[in-house]
Amino acid sequence: MWLVALWLTVVGNLPLWQRVASLTADSGHQLPQLLGLGVLVLALIAALLSLLNWPRVFRPVATLLVLVAAANSYFMWQYRVVIDPSMMANVANTDPREVRDLLSWPLLVTLAGVAGPALWWIWRRAPGWHPPLRQVGRNLAGALLALAVAAAALMAGYQGIASLMRGHKELRYMINPLNSVYASAALAVNAGTHAVTTLEPVGTDAKLGASYAAQARPPLVVFVVGETARAQNWGLNGYARQTTPSLAQWQANDGLVNFPNVTSCGTNTQVSVPCIFSPLSRDEGGNETPRSENLLDVLQRAGLAVLWLDNQSGCKGVCDRVPHAQASEQPVAGLCDGGECLDEAMLSGLDARIAALDPERRARGVVLVMHQMGSHGPAYHKRAPESKKPFQPECRSVTLSECPADQLLNAYDNSITYTDHFLSETLGWLKQHAAAGRFDTGLVYVSDHGESLGENGLFLHGVPYALAPVQQKHVPMVSWLSGGLQKRLGVDAGCLRERAAKPASHDNMFHSVLGLMDVTTSVRQPALDLFAPCAGGAGAAPVSASPAG
Ligand SMILES: [Zn+2]
């Protein structure tokens, strides 16, 4: 058991030791600090294994811990991620497609090298059998001894270890496999407390506003939830490359508004998507597991038709109580392959999907959410069809650190340019409906979080929020309102462009969409509605920038 613990400590934590070694290189006490922390980690792992030392339990559980440590090591090396509860929630909510994207030879080699020898040792011979009472005694004694060693190591090296851990909080999420054990336990506790509480209703007083009285056409607003798009690579934000050529046209000719200063609520999908729809701001706990209903429930309660269309790994509970569909369930030739679709597949048959909604609700108004695959990594090259990849050559490996930086950037920028194309196609569809006088249409797009593309050696996303670099939190956002919708709400386009330049965040989404749909409820805070300061203007109608009526 101590040998397994020693192996896990030394070989199963190489990324940790590399990091600690580089952090303490100039301290003059590098060796004592490494040793002190090493003994502490060894003793903690030994204490855990001691408690698990039961016949028929030890070998499978130790096997799992060894494999987890090996897999964690790989992802830490490869993408510099750390394992905290929100990363674990991501793992627990992933789907086979996402896993397939991550599989690679380097992963298998790392698993074999880090886990192999330990597994051989664990399975070499069966552990000895002792009467149950004696086994309890042995396990407790072993755990106590290990904890005593941990306490001694901590006391001996307290100064160094404490300052190191305080200064570099990410280190505590790098201790394999304790990080995964802790994160799983935290999730389980959260799920346990969450399971007994039913969702608190939100906006029980929600009603349709004055604009619905004798309306000529119902409103149709599309809310596109983007994936892994970062503001820095967004052409409209002044990126050196034109990654958003179509949206630039919509901005120049059709009144599309770009929001260059938007901050995400989380650094991963699991946190950000529920937060975008939450009535709570991030400070109020919008980034935590939802305890209440969300924006879609309020819209539906007000009497509107709501549809969530997903092209990713699901809506994270947000759409559970409204009509929802997965794009891959109706595969579109040329756009879908092997259960995975390009985002444009969501536009196929969209009119039929709208027509299938409850007719009474549809006659009042429609909110359609489209959840993109966007720039989901690490297989960026899979996010756009070959014919729509202006930036070449592109990285086609999921081992991102092996790709030349410019090829990685090309693959990522191609995915952004495809999102530009997808949004432009969606806008074209909305403009048609407006021109035909069927709906007053509008679109809001915002990405769920950003992405690291090798800055400071970081890849992908999911770094704990407080430590995350700006690339993972600064996201693109745009809005477009048909002339009819502008008139309906009395929106002043020039005013909106001014507002758009100021800082905004996912905190604004709940209130802004309620504002766009003119839903009145006591939970809607006009101060957080991005459109409110520019809406309701008397005689604001003629400012329409859209010739589409
Ligand atoms: Zn995401």
Side-chain angles (χ1 to χ4, degrees):
M1 194 202 69
W2 280 88
L3 268 178
V4 175
L6 186 62
W7 179 269
L8 279 173
T9 303
V10 178
V11 184
N13 274 294
L14 286 176
L16 172 69
W17 305 129
Q18 278 176 345
R19 184 69 152 271
V20 173
S22 77
L23 288 173
T24 54
D26 306 325
S27 72
H29 304 92
Q30 189 181 36
L31 200 59
Q33 280 190 308
L34 275 168
L35 273 177
L37 195 57
V39 173
L40 178 63
V41 171
L42 167 69
L44 290 175
I45 295 176
L48 176 69
L49 289 178
S50 261
L51 294 174
L52 296 169
N53 193 8
W54 295 94
R56 286 204 289 278
V57 172
F58 180 74
R59 294 204 289 186
V61 175
T63 299
L64 183 66
L65 291 175
V66 166
L67 286 174
V68 162
N72 286 354
S73 297
Y74 171 78
F75 290 111
M76 287 176 186
W77 268 319
Q78 203 46 246
Y79 305 116
R80 277 193 69 180
V81 299
V82 296
I83 314 295
D84 71 335
S86 82
M87 177 62 80
M88 204 64 183
N90 250 349
V91 173
N93 284 281
T94 190
D95 66 8
R97 288 183 312 188
E98 291 182 313
V99 175
R100 211 172 51 205
D101 278 356
L102 289 167
L103 290 181
S104 65
W105 282 111
L107 171 61
L108 294 177
V109 169
T110 308
L111 283 178
V114 174
L119 293 183
W120 171 79
W121 181 256
I122 291 168
W123 289 92
R124 190 182 47 114
R125 62 185 174 85
W129 187 88
H130 302 281
L133 218 55
R134 228 180 111 205
Q135 190 69 54
V136 173
R138 284 173 65 101
N139 290 3
L140 283 179
L144 283 176
L145 173 68
L147 288 177
V149 172
L154 191 58
M155 276 194 286
Y158 183 77
Q159 204 80 46
I161 294 174
S163 73
L164 193 62
M165 287 291 181
R166 259 201 302 272
H168 304 276
K169 289 200 168 67
E170 77 275 13
L171 290 177
R172 70 187 66 174
Y173 301 118
M174 291 183 73
I175 303 173
N176 294 327
L178 301 175
N179 47 7
S180 298
V181 174
Y182 165 75
S184 307
L187 277 188
V189 167
N190 192 336
T193 51
H194 183 63
V196 291
T197 51
T198 47
L199 290 185
E200 204 177 299
V202 168
T204 47
D205 59 346
K207 283 190 181 53
L208 298 179
S211 66
Y212 289 85
Q215 62 180 0
R217 293 169 296 276
L220 163 61
V221 168
V222 170
F223 187 13
V224 179
V225 179
E227 176 58 54
T228 315
R230 68 184 206 179
Q232 188 178 316
N233 291 48
W234 194 246
L236 292 181
N237 288 344
Y239 183 40
R241 264 175 172 180
Q242 184 46 288
T243 51
T244 54
S246 309
L247 291 179
Q249 293 290 318
W250 282 91
Q251 185 183 39
N253 308 323
D254 270 297
L256 178 111
V257 177
N258 183 52
F259 294 72
N261 289 311
V262 181
T263 305
S264 72
C265 174
T267 61
N268 64 51
T269 311
Q270 192 60 29
V271 169
S272 277
V273 168
C275 189
I276 287 171
F277 292 85
S278 170
L280 304 180
S281 66
R282 187 173 199 282
D283 286 346
E284 292 166 335
N287 58 334
E288 292 162 14
T289 307
R291 293 196 184 84
S292 65
E293 295 177 349
N294 61 59
L295 172 64
L296 302 184
D297 299 290
V298 180
L299 293 167
Q300 183 163 263
R301 181 167 291 132
L304 298 170
V306 179
L307 174 64
W308 178 289
L309 191 49
D310 206 286
N311 191 36
Q312 221 206 90
S313 57
C315 70
K316 317 298 171 194
V318 170
C319 67
D320 286 354
R321 295 161 302 280
V322 302
H324 52 270
Q326 186 78 29
S328 58
E329 283 163 10
Q330 289 180 24
V332 184
L335 293 174
C336 299
D337 184 28
E340 194 168 293
C341 296
L342 292 165
D343 283 327
E344 261 180 296
M346 287 193 282
L347 299 177
S348 163
L350 204 46
D351 285 314
R353 289 190 195 273
I354 301 290
L357 294 171
D358 179 273
E360 255 179 70
R361 290 178 174 275
R362 193 184 58 233
R364 293 187 199 112
V366 181
V367 177
L368 167 65
V369 182
M370 289 201 266
H371 188 203
Q372 273 191 285
M373 188 56 113
S375 303
H376 195 293
Y380 306 120
H381 66 280
K382 287 187 180 175
R383 303 299 164 237
E386 295 304 321
S387 61
K388 293 197 169 60
K389 292 182 172 179
F391 307 112
Q392 298 291 346
E394 62 167 5
C395 163
R396 301 186 72 89
S397 164
V398 296
T399 313
L400 300 183
S401 54
E402 277 177 5
C403 276
D406 56 329
Q407 294 189 18
L408 177 62
L409 203 60
N410 285 346
Y412 183 80
D413 284 346
N414 283 335
S415 74
I416 296 287
T417 301
Y418 185 63
T419 286
D420 168 75
H421 169 74
F422 165 71
L423 291 175
S424 177
E425 293 290 299
T426 310
L427 286 166
W429 177 76
L430 287 171
K431 192 172 164 177
Q432 256 179 26
H433 273 298
R438 283 190 288 269
F439 291 102
D440 287 330
T441 57
L443 174 138
V444 176
Y445 161 83
V446 71
S447 179
D448 65 342
H449 52 76
E451 186 84 325
S452 285
L453 294 172
E455 295 86 6
N456 306 314
L458 275 176
F459 291 94
L460 303 181
H461 53 266
V463 169
Y465 197 82
L467 313 168
V470 64
Q471 286 88 1
Q472 297 191 16
K473 297 193 280 196
H474 186 195
V475 291
M477 173 176 169
V478 298
S479 77
W480 176 84
L481 313 179
S482 70
L485 194 62
Q486 291 188 36
K487 204 181 280 180
R488 203 181 157 97
L489 301 168
V491 165
D492 181 299
C495 164
L496 186 56
R497 274 195 297 276
E498 266 172 45
R499 172 63 189 89
K502 294 175 191 161
S505 75
H506 284 167
D507 289 353
N508 297 105
M509 297 304 143
F510 178 90
H511 309 279
S512 302
V513 174
L514 285 182
L516 265 190
M517 294 311 292
D518 190 20
V519 167
T520 58
T521 160
S522 53
V523 286
R524 179 177 155 250
Q525 298 173 41
L528 289 176
D529 178 350
L530 295 170
F531 301 98
C534 305
V543 299
S544 164
S546 164

mmCIF file of all heavy atoms in Angstrom, residues 263-295:
data_model
loop_
_atom_site.group_PDB
_atom_site.id
_atom_site.type_symbol
_atom_site.label_atom_id
_atom_site.label_comp_id
_atom_site.label_asym_id
_atom_site.label_seq_id
_atom_site.Cartn_x
_atom_site.Cartn_y
_atom_site.Cartn_z
ATOM 1 N N THR A 263 -18.141 40.116 -20.422
ATOM 2 C CA THR A 263 -17.432 39.157 -19.572
ATOM 3 C C THR A 263 -18.327 37.958 -19.298
ATOM 4 O O THR A 263 -19.516 38.114 -19.025
ATOM 5 C CB THR A 263 -17.059 39.823 -18.232
ATOM 6 O OG1 THR A 263 -16.327 41.006 -18.515
ATOM 7 C CG2 THR A 263 -16.202 38.907 -17.381
ATOM 8 N N SER A 264 -17.739 36.760 -19.352
ATOM 9 C CA SER A 264 -18.523 35.553 -19.121
ATOM 10 C C SER A 264 -18.682 35.300 -17.623
ATOM 11 O O SER A 264 -17.928 35.831 -16.804
ATOM 12 C CB SER A 264 -17.865 34.350 -19.785
ATOM 13 O OG SER A 264 -16.705 33.974 -19.088
ATOM 14 N N CYS A 265 -19.659 34.460 -17.288
ATOM 15 C CA CYS A 265 -19.935 34.148 -15.880
ATOM 16 C C CYS A 265 -19.015 33.052 -15.379
ATOM 17 O O CYS A 265 -18.624 33.013 -14.220
ATOM 18 C CB CYS A 265 -21.390 33.718 -15.741
ATOM 19 S SG CYS A 265 -21.839 33.142 -14.115
ATOM 20 N N GLY A 266 -18.674 32.122 -16.261
ATOM 21 C CA GLY A 266 -17.793 31.026 -15.873
ATOM 22 C C GLY A 266 -16.728 30.828 -16.921
ATOM 23 O O GLY A 266 -16.689 31.546 -17.930
ATOM 24 N N THR A 267 -15.867 29.850 -16.704
ATOM 25 C CA THR A 267 -14.859 29.519 -17.713
ATOM 26 C C THR A 267 -15.154 28.144 -18.316
ATOM 27 O O THR A 267 -14.320 27.585 -18.996
ATOM 28 C CB THR A 267 -13.436 29.522 -17.132
ATOM 29 O OG1 THR A 267 -13.361 28.545 -16.100
ATOM 30 C CG2 THR A 267 -13.067 30.879 -16.581
ATOM 31 N N ASN A 268 -16.315 27.588 -18.028
ATOM 32 C CA ASN A 268 -16.703 26.357 -18.720
ATOM 33 C C ASN A 268 -18.212 26.349 -18.957
ATOM 34 O O ASN A 268 -18.960 27.126 -18.358
ATOM 35 C CB ASN A 268 -16.238 25.107 -17.955
ATOM 36 C CG ASN A 268 -16.910 24.979 -16.603
ATOM 37 O OD1 ASN A 268 -18.135 25.053 -16.490
ATOM 38 N ND2 ASN A 268 -16.125 24.784 -15.564
ATOM 39 N N THR A 269 -18.644 25.438 -19.836
ATOM 40 C CA THR A 269 -20.037 25.389 -20.265
ATOM 41 C C THR A 269 -20.968 25.104 -19.096
ATOM 42 O O THR A 269 -22.050 25.679 -18.970
ATOM 43 C CB THR A 269 -20.195 24.288 -21.332
ATOM 44 O OG1 THR A 269 -19.173 24.472 -22.308
ATOM 45 C CG2 THR A 269 -21.550 24.333 -22.001
ATOM 46 N N GLN A 270 -20.530 24.190 -18.238
ATOM 47 C CA GLN A 270 -21.348 23.711 -17.133
ATOM 48 C C GLN A 270 -21.748 24.837 -16.184
ATOM 49 O O GLN A 270 -22.830 24.805 -15.602
ATOM 50 C CB GLN A 270 -20.557 22.629 -16.378
ATOM 51 C CG GLN A 270 -21.354 21.827 -15.389
ATOM 52 C CD GLN A 270 -22.504 21.079 -16.035
ATOM 53 O OE1 GLN A 270 -22.421 20.719 -17.209
ATOM 54 N NE2 GLN A 270 -23.583 20.891 -15.307
ATOM 55 N N VAL A 271 -20.868 25.827 -16.023
ATOM 56 C CA VAL A 271 -21.178 26.970 -15.172
ATOM 57 C C VAL A 271 -21.873 28.063 -15.982
ATOM 58 O O VAL A 271 -22.890 28.614 -15.573
ATOM 59 C CB VAL A 271 -19.884 27.523 -14.520
ATOM 60 C CG1 VAL A 271 -20.156 28.865 -13.855
ATOM 61 C CG2 VAL A 271 -19.330 26.527 -13.514
ATOM 62 N N SER A 272 -21.319 28.364 -17.154
ATOM 63 C CA SER A 272 -21.772 29.543 -17.901
ATOM 64 C C SER A 272 -23.192 29.410 -18.445
ATOM 65 O O SER A 272 -23.967 30.369 -18.380
ATOM 66 C CB SER A 272 -20.823 29.836 -19.062
ATOM 67 O OG SER A 272 -19.711 30.560 -18.614
ATOM 68 N N VAL A 273 -23.539 28.246 -19.000
ATOM 69 C CA VAL A 273 -24.852 28.145 -19.650
ATOM 70 C C VAL A 273 -25.995 28.361 -18.649
ATOM 71 O O VAL A 273 -26.866 29.207 -18.874
ATOM 72 C CB VAL A 273 -24.978 26.827 -20.447
ATOM 73 C CG1 VAL A 273 -26.415 26.585 -20.864
ATOM 74 C CG2 VAL A 273 -24.085 26.887 -21.689
ATOM 75 N N PRO A 274 -26.009 27.649 -17.500
ATOM 76 C CA PRO A 274 -27.077 27.956 -16.537
ATOM 77 C C PRO A 274 -27.021 29.406 -16.052
ATOM 78 O O PRO A 274 -28.064 30.030 -15.822
ATOM 79 C CB PRO A 274 -26.806 26.984 -15.379
ATOM 80 C CG PRO A 274 -26.032 25.867 -15.998
ATOM 81 C CD PRO A 274 -25.190 26.509 -17.063
ATOM 82 N N CYS A 275 -25.820 29.950 -15.923
ATOM 83 C CA CYS A 275 -25.677 31.322 -15.407
ATOM 84 C C CYS A 275 -26.262 32.344 -16.377
ATOM 85 O O CYS A 275 -26.876 33.320 -15.973
ATOM 86 C CB CYS A 275 -24.207 31.616 -15.125
ATOM 87 S SG CYS A 275 -23.939 33.160 -14.253
ATOM 88 N N ILE A 276 -26.073 32.116 -17.682
ATOM 89 C CA ILE A 276 -26.616 33.024 -18.703
ATOM 90 C C ILE A 276 -28.131 33.155 -18.539
ATOM 91 O O ILE A 276 -28.698 34.235 -18.699
ATOM 92 C CB ILE A 276 -26.274 32.499 -20.120
ATOM 93 C CG1 ILE A 276 -24.794 32.715 -20.417
ATOM 94 C CG2 ILE A 276 -27.140 33.165 -21.185
ATOM 95 C CD1 ILE A 276 -24.316 32.051 -21.697
ATOM 96 N N PHE A 277 -28.788 32.049 -18.187
ATOM 97 C CA PHE A 277 -30.250 32.040 -18.096
ATOM 98 C C PHE A 277 -30.762 32.297 -16.673
ATOM 99 O O PHE A 277 -31.962 32.375 -16.445
ATOM 100 C CB PHE A 277 -30.795 30.705 -18.625
ATOM 101 C CG PHE A 277 -30.582 30.552 -20.106
ATOM 102 C CD1 PHE A 277 -29.398 30.057 -20.610
ATOM 103 C CD2 PHE A 277 -31.562 30.970 -20.995
ATOM 104 C CE1 PHE A 277 -29.186 29.952 -21.980
ATOM 105 C CE2 PHE A 277 -31.364 30.877 -22.367
ATOM 106 C CZ PHE A 277 -30.171 30.370 -22.855
ATOM 107 N N SER A 278 -29.830 32.439 -15.739
ATOM 108 C CA SER A 278 -30.214 32.596 -14.330
ATOM 109 C C SER A 278 -30.727 34.000 -14.040
ATOM 110 O O SER A 278 -30.213 34.984 -14.576
ATOM 111 C CB SER A 278 -28.993 32.312 -13.444
ATOM 112 O OG SER A 278 -29.278 32.667 -12.108
ATOM 113 N N PRO A 279 -31.737 34.114 -13.154
ATOM 114 C CA PRO A 279 -32.153 35.449 -12.727
ATOM 115 C C PRO A 279 -31.109 36.103 -11.824
ATOM 116 O O PRO A 279 -31.144 37.305 -11.605
ATOM 117 C CB PRO A 279 -33.441 35.184 -11.941
ATOM 118 C CG PRO A 279 -33.333 33.766 -11.482
ATOM 119 C CD PRO A 279 -32.549 33.047 -12.546
ATOM 120 N N LEU A 280 -30.175 35.294 -11.315
ATOM 121 C CA LEU A 280 -29.161 35.812 -10.394
ATOM 122 C C LEU A 280 -27.927 36.290 -11.151
ATOM 123 O O LEU A 280 -27.513 35.684 -12.143
ATOM 124 C CB LEU A 280 -28.727 34.729 -9.404
ATOM 125 C CG LEU A 280 -29.813 34.072 -8.568
ATOM 126 C CD1 LEU A 280 -29.205 33.022 -7.645
ATOM 127 C CD2 LEU A 280 -30.538 35.129 -7.742
ATOM 128 N N SER A 281 -27.327 37.345 -10.660
ATOM 129 C CA SER A 281 -26.042 37.770 -11.193
ATOM 130 C C SER A 281 -24.978 36.812 -10.660
ATOM 131 O O SER A 281 -25.242 35.985 -9.782
ATOM 132 C CB SER A 281 -25.724 39.191 -10.737
ATOM 133 O OG SER A 281 -25.537 39.200 -9.332
ATOM 134 N N ARG A 282 -23.763 36.910 -11.207
ATOM 135 C CA ARG A 282 -22.683 36.048 -10.746
ATOM 136 C C ARG A 282 -22.436 36.254 -9.245
ATOM 137 O O ARG A 282 -22.277 35.304 -8.493
ATOM 138 C CB ARG A 282 -21.407 36.331 -11.531
ATOM 139 C CG ARG A 282 -20.315 35.371 -11.211
ATOM 140 C CD ARG A 282 -19.092 35.516 -12.083
ATOM 141 N NE ARG A 282 -18.330 34.288 -11.989
ATOM 142 C CZ ARG A 282 -17.557 33.981 -10.965
ATOM 143 N NH1 ARG A 282 -17.435 34.833 -9.967
ATOM 144 N NH2 ARG A 282 -16.931 32.834 -10.906
ATOM 145 N N ASP A 283 -22.446 37.518 -8.805
ATOM 146 C CA ASP A 283 -22.198 37.823 -7.386
ATOM 147 C C ASP A 283 -23.286 37.246 -6.484
ATOM 148 O O ASP A 283 -23.044 36.916 -5.338
ATOM 149 C CB ASP A 283 -22.140 39.344 -7.162
ATOM 150 C CG ASP A 283 -20.842 39.930 -7.687
ATOM 151 O OD1 ASP A 283 -19.911 39.129 -7.958
ATOM 152 O OD2 ASP A 283 -20.764 41.156 -7.847
ATOM 153 N N GLU A 284 -24.491 37.133 -7.028
ATOM 154 C CA GLU A 284 -25.605 36.597 -6.226
ATOM 155 C C GLU A 284 -25.642 35.069 -6.233
ATOM 156 O O GLU A 284 -26.519 34.474 -5.614
ATOM 157 C CB GLU A 284 -26.940 37.116 -6.775
ATOM 158 C CG GLU A 284 -27.155 38.600 -6.586
ATOM 159 C CD GLU A 284 -28.313 39.125 -7.434
ATOM 160 O OE1 GLU A 284 -28.638 38.525 -8.480
ATOM 161 O OE2 GLU A 284 -28.878 40.171 -7.051
ATOM 162 N N GLY A 285 -24.734 34.447 -6.969
ATOM 163 C CA GLY A 285 -24.686 32.989 -7.002
ATOM 164 C C GLY A 285 -25.172 32.380 -8.309
ATOM 165 O O GLY A 285 -25.446 31.177 -8.368
ATOM 166 N N GLY A 286 -25.265 33.201 -9.352
ATOM 167 C CA GLY A 286 -25.678 32.692 -10.662
ATOM 168 C C GLY A 286 -24.724 31.646 -11.219
ATOM 169 O O GLY A 286 -25.085 30.857 -12.082
ATOM 170 N N ASN A 287 -23.500 31.639 -10.683
ATOM 171 C CA ASN A 287 -22.500 30.673 -11.164
ATOM 172 C C ASN A 287 -22.587 29.335 -10.417
ATOM 173 O O ASN A 287 -21.845 28.414 -10.716
ATOM 174 C CB ASN A 287 -21.094 31.256 -11.002
ATOM 175 C CG ASN A 287 -20.780 31.629 -9.567
ATOM 176 O OD1 ASN A 287 -21.689 31.913 -8.786
ATOM 177 N ND2 ASN A 287 -19.514 31.615 -9.204
ATOM 178 N N GLU A 288 -23.485 29.243 -9.432
ATOM 179 C CA GLU A 288 -23.615 27.983 -8.690
ATOM 180 C C GLU A 288 -24.713 27.106 -9.290
ATOM 181 O O GLU A 288 -25.485 27.573 -10.122
ATOM 182 C CB GLU A 288 -23.929 28.279 -7.215
ATOM 183 C CG GLU A 288 -22.756 28.943 -6.499
ATOM 184 C CD GLU A 288 -23.182 29.626 -5.212
ATOM 185 O OE1 GLU A 288 -24.311 29.374 -4.739
ATOM 186 O OE2 GLU A 288 -22.378 30.423 -4.692
ATOM 187 N N THR A 289 -24.790 25.863 -8.834
ATOM 188 C CA THR A 289 -25.844 24.977 -9.323
ATOM 189 C C THR A 289 -27.203 25.646 -9.093
ATOM 190 O O THR A 289 -27.501 26.041 -7.962
ATOM 191 C CB THR A 289 -25.800 23.642 -8.560
ATOM 192 O OG1 THR A 289 -24.474 23.146 -8.641
ATOM 193 C CG2 THR A 289 -26.761 22.642 -9.169
ATOM 194 N N PRO A 290 -28.010 25.794 -10.150
ATOM 195 C CA PRO A 290 -29.262 26.551 -10.007
ATOM 196 C C PRO A 290 -30.200 25.952 -8.959
ATOM 197 O O PRO A 290 -30.387 24.740 -8.900
ATOM 198 C CB PRO A 290 -29.893 26.465 -11.397
ATOM 199 C CG PRO A 290 -28.773 26.158 -12.323
ATOM 200 C CD PRO A 290 -27.809 25.331 -11.535
ATOM 201 N N ARG A 291 -30.783 26.817 -8.138
ATOM 202 C CA ARG A 291 -31.795 26.387 -7.179
ATOM 203 C C ARG A 291 -33.153 26.918 -7.594
ATOM 204 O O ARG A 291 -34.146 26.679 -6.940
ATOM 205 C CB ARG A 291 -31.449 26.895 -5.778
ATOM 206 C CG ARG A 291 -30.191 26.244 -5.247
ATOM 207 C CD ARG A 291 -30.027 26.409 -3.744
ATOM 208 N NE ARG A 291 -28.763 25.833 -3.351
ATOM 209 C CZ ARG A 291 -27.610 26.471 -3.418
ATOM 210 N NH1 ARG A 291 -27.571 27.724 -3.826
ATOM 211 N NH2 ARG A 291 -26.484 25.886 -3.072
ATOM 212 N N SER A 292 -33.166 27.681 -8.675
ATOM 213 C CA SER A 292 -34.440 28.273 -9.109
ATOM 214 C C SER A 292 -34.622 28.066 -10.602
ATOM 215 O O SER A 292 -33.706 27.665 -11.304
ATOM 216 C CB SER A 292 -34.446 29.763 -8.776
ATOM 217 O OG SER A 292 -33.455 30.421 -9.529
ATOM 218 N N GLU A 293 -35.820 28.349 -11.067
ATOM 219 C CA GLU A 293 -36.109 28.312 -12.498
ATOM 220 C C GLU A 293 -35.304 29.398 -13.202
ATOM 221 O O GLU A 293 -34.623 30.194 -12.563
ATOM 222 C CB GLU A 293 -37.613 28.545 -12.715
ATOM 223 C CG GLU A 293 -38.491 27.441 -12.157
ATOM 224 C CD GLU A 293 -39.966 27.756 -12.342
ATOM 225 O OE1 GLU A 293 -40.299 28.906 -12.717
ATOM 226 O OE2 GLU A 293 -40.790 26.865 -12.099
ATOM 227 N N ASN A 294 -35.440 29.437 -14.519
ATOM 228 C CA ASN A 294 -34.615 30.387 -15.267
ATOM 229 C C ASN A 294 -35.435 31.165 -16.293
ATOM 230 O O ASN A 294 -36.665 31.055 -16.356
ATOM 231 C CB ASN A 294 -33.463 29.636 -15.933
ATOM 232 C CG ASN A 294 -33.974 28.592 -16.915
ATOM 233 O OD1 ASN A 294 -34.689 28.921 -17.863
ATOM 234 N ND2 ASN A 294 -33.637 27.331 -16.674
ATOM 235 N N LEU A 295 -34.721 31.916 -17.105
ATOM 236 C CA LEU A 295 -35.316 32.776 -18.123
ATOM 237 C C LEU A 295 -36.363 32.056 -18.982
ATOM 238 O O LEU A 295 -37.428 32.599 -19.261
ATOM 239 C CB LEU A 295 -34.184 33.309 -19.024
ATOM 240 C CG LEU A 295 -34.573 34.077 -20.274
ATOM 241 C CD1 LEU A 295 -35.308 35.357 -19.910
ATOM 242 C CD2 LEU A 295 -33.334 34.404 -21.107
#
